[in-house]
């Protein structure tokens, strides 16, 4: 049984990281798995790219141009939506033809167009689609916020400058509906929260649904010597350290505003607590933080990231919308308790009082309270608990076995 994982990127972004980890987990459990991506570092022989041309990002640029024009040449929400009107025909690739299972992951920003997804469906291959955000079940948005128009037909999209009943979101929704009809796609949600959203969506009705979390390599992500890790990274030995990370810290969905507000309520801890950033940030944001702060920049090397987790006392994730964040899983695997809002899949990972602190949604006061409890002078019992939780729920073996059962069921149906 050959599984081909389809992902826009091999490493950039949480969905790409999760897809790569799944490939590794499947291989480690005796399955023949490979990846087909748009962007790759060309180091893993199991990962192939759809094109070697330097022009392979042209579809991405054309799609963003379409959205830019639709929003009257304004950048607002430019990356909050995808129209999938440009991409690559992967059905002619030898990897595709040889595969028994086509496993889609995050395929936006110029990898697969709607036409390409239809080609995959019409190929007759067995399809599994792991959803890392809401795009497969909405018209154009990756996260719908408080909007639930995807329950019917979308339209009047709040992310468009001039929303109307038959706007871009409605037209894309109807195209997806025709593609999904009788397609028999096995949709997989990473979190129970997203599964509940899927069940209300008109788009995926009639297709089988499952919920399987992302896997993590618990041999790589594990607790280590705190002093050694801090010395390696040049972090202070005499302070409690809070970690905040995101690929783009300025992304409003990541909740930086609430973290900033929370740090000002922790100003009395300034002499003994430090906030560490990982990700692409802007200096003007760091300048308004209420605690001593330092940036480690964007870290792509996993072993370095492990050292970061081993060095800190807690990880804070003030995101307003999330599915099943990799960074919570990584931090917990390293024995680090987490603090986050009650939203999306976060409460499924952070068990209040057991693996960390769940704050009231958009309450910077409660977020600050949670952080304070994690960096209190008293020793907390969280480190062993959070590690055990990850071993039980997110280990590679457990996740790979769940996917094996889905693959075998799909092959048997064929």
């Amino acid at each position: 049984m050959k599984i081909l994982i389809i992902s826009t990127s091999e490493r950039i972004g949480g969905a790409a990281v999760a897809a790569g980890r799944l490939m590794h987990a499947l291989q480690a459990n005796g399955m023949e798995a490979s990846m087909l991506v748009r962007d790759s570092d060309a180091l893993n022989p199991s990962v192939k790219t759809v094109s070697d041309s330097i022009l392979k990002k042209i579809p991405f640029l054309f799609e963003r141009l379409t959205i830019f024009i639709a929003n009257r040449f304004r950048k607002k929400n430019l990356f909050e939506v995808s129209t999938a009107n440009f991409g690559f025909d992967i059905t002619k690739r030898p990897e595709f033809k040889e595969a028994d299972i086509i496993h889609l992951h995050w395929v936006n920003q110029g990898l697969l167009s709607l036409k390409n997804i239809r080609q995959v469906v019409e190929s007759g291959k067995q399809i599994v689609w792991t959803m890392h955000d809401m795009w497969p079940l909405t018209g154009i948005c990756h996260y719908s916020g408080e909007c639930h128009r995807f329950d019917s037909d979308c339209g009047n999209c709040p992310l468009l400058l001039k929303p109307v009943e038959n706007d871009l979101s409605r037209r894309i929704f109807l195209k997806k509906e025709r593609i999904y009809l009788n397609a028999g796609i096995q949709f997989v949600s990473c979190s129970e929260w997203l599964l509940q959203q899927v069940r209300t969506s008109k788009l995926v009705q009639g297709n089988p649904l499952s919920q399987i979390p992302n896997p993590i390599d618990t041999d790589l992500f594990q607790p280590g010597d705190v002093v050694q890790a801090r010395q390696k990274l040049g972090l202070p030995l005499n302070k409690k350290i809070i970690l905040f990370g995101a690929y783009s810290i300025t992304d409003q969905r990541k909740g930086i505003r609430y973290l900033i507000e929370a740090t000002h309520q922790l100003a009395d801890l300034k002499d003994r607590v430090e906030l560490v950033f990982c990700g692409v940030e802007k200096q003007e944001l760091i300048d308004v933080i209420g605690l001593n702060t330092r940036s480690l920049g964007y870290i792509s090397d996993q072993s370095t990231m492990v050292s970061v987790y081993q060095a800190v006392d807690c990880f804070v994730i003030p995101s307003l919308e999330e599915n099943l964040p990799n960074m919570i899983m990584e931090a917990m695997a390293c024995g680090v308790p987490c603090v986050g809002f009650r939203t999306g899949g976060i409460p499924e990972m952070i068990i209040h009082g057991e693996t960390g602190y769940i704050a009231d949604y958009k309450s910077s006061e409660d977020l600050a309270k949670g952080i304070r409890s994690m960096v209190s002078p008293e020793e907390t019992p969280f480190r062993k608990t959070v590690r055990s939780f990850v071993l039980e729920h997110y280990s590679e073996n457990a996740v790979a076995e769940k996917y094996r059962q889905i693959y075998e069921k799909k092959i048997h149906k064929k």
Side-chain angles (χ1 to χ4, degrees), residues 175-208:
K175 288 180 180 180
K176 287 183 181 179
E177 189 173 40
R178 290 191 290 270
I179 293 170
Y180 294 173
L181 183 65
N182 300 321
I185 300 171
Q186 173 73 54
F187 286 98
V188 179
S189 164
C190 299
S191 68
E192 183 63 32
W193 164 77
L194 185 55
L195 184 63
Q196 296 307 318
Q197 311 306 309
V198 176
R199 284 173 172 158
T200 67
S201 172
K202 179 184 176 184
L203 265 183
V204 298
Q205 290 180 10
N207 291 287

Side-chain angles (χ1 to χ4, degrees), residues 94-348:
E95 301 90 350
F96 185 94
K97 292 178 180 179
E98 294 169 5
D100 300 297
I101 299 288
I102 304 301
H103 193 154
L104 304 179
H105 283 256
W106 202 86
V107 296
N108 299 113
Q109 296 190 358
L111 178 61
L112 296 185
S113 67
L114 293 179
K115 178 182 177 182
N116 300 147
I117 295 173
R118 178 183 290 280
Q119 290 168 335
V120 173
V121 170
E122 292 177 347
S123 73
K125 296 284 186 179
Q126 297 299 304
I127 305 168
V128 177
W129 194 342
T130 294
M131 299 174 289
H132 295 279
D133 60 24
M134 296 179 68
W135 188 83
L137 57 117
T138 69
I140 59 176
C141 69
H142 291 279
Y143 285 93
S144 68
E146 297 179 356
C147 174
H148 273 265
R149 293 188 64 81
F150 65 88
D151 289 350
S152 52
D153 296 306
C154 280
N156 283 313
C157 179
L159 295 178
L160 296 176
L161 182 64
K162 296 290 185 181
V164 294
E165 195 68 24
N166 193 38
D167 60 20
L168 189 62
S169 70
R170 166 69 63 81
R171 297 195 299 272
I172 299 296
F173 187 98
L174 295 177
K175 288 180 180 180
K176 287 183 181 179
E177 189 173 40
R178 290 191 290 270
I179 293 170
Y180 294 173
L181 183 65
N182 300 321
I185 300 171
Q186 173 73 54
F187 286 98
V188 179
S189 164
C190 299
S191 68
E192 183 63 32
W193 164 77
L194 185 55
L195 184 63
Q196 296 307 318
Q197 311 306 309
V198 176
R199 284 173 172 158
T200 67
S201 172
K202 179 184 176 184
L203 265 183
V204 298
Q205 290 180 10
N207 291 287
L209 308 175
S210 299
Q211 192 263 312
I212 303 175
N214 298 323
I216 188 169
D217 183 350
T218 51
D219 291 330
L220 174 62
F221 289 91
Q222 60 177 302
D225 187 278
V226 175
V227 173
Q228 188 176 23
R230 291 191 179 188
Q231 289 175 336
K232 175 182 177 180
L233 298 166
L235 298 176
L237 301 179
N238 60 344
K239 290 186 177 183
K240 295 283 188 175
I241 299 180
I242 305 162
L243 174 66
F244 169 68
Y247 177 70
S248 176
I249 290 172
T250 57
D251 183 349
Q252 292 185 6
R253 188 170 58 85
K254 297 302 180 180
I256 184 65
R257 164 193 162 188
Y258 297 94
L259 179 59
I260 292 171
E261 292 175 357
T263 61
H264 285 282
Q265 297 170 47
L266 299 169
D268 59 299
L269 303 179
K270 197 168 185 177
D271 292 336
R272 58 186 181 90
V273 173
E274 185 162 296
L275 177 66
V276 170
F277 278 88
C278 284
V280 180
E281 85 293 324
K282 290 186 177 181
Q283 187 61 44
E284 56 264 34
L285 286 179
I286 293 181
D287 290 343
V288 296
I289 295 287
L291 295 171
N292 292 322
T293 305
R294 72 176 67 199
S295 172
L296 299 177
Y298 177 70
I299 300 173
S300 59
D301 178 65
Q302 287 195 107
S303 62
T304 302
M305 201 63 222
V306 170
S307 295
V308 174
Y309 291 123
Q310 292 172 344
V312 305
D313 294 283
C314 87
F315 170 62
V316 59
I317 178 166
S319 296
L320 305 183
E321 291 180 296
E322 287 285 1
N323 185 11
L324 199 77
N326 285 329
M327 291 195 75
I328 292 180
M329 194 182 300
E330 293 166 358
M332 289 172 57
C334 294
V336 178
C338 303
V339 179
F341 286 134
R342 186 176 288 106
T343 183
I346 292 175
E348 299 171 37

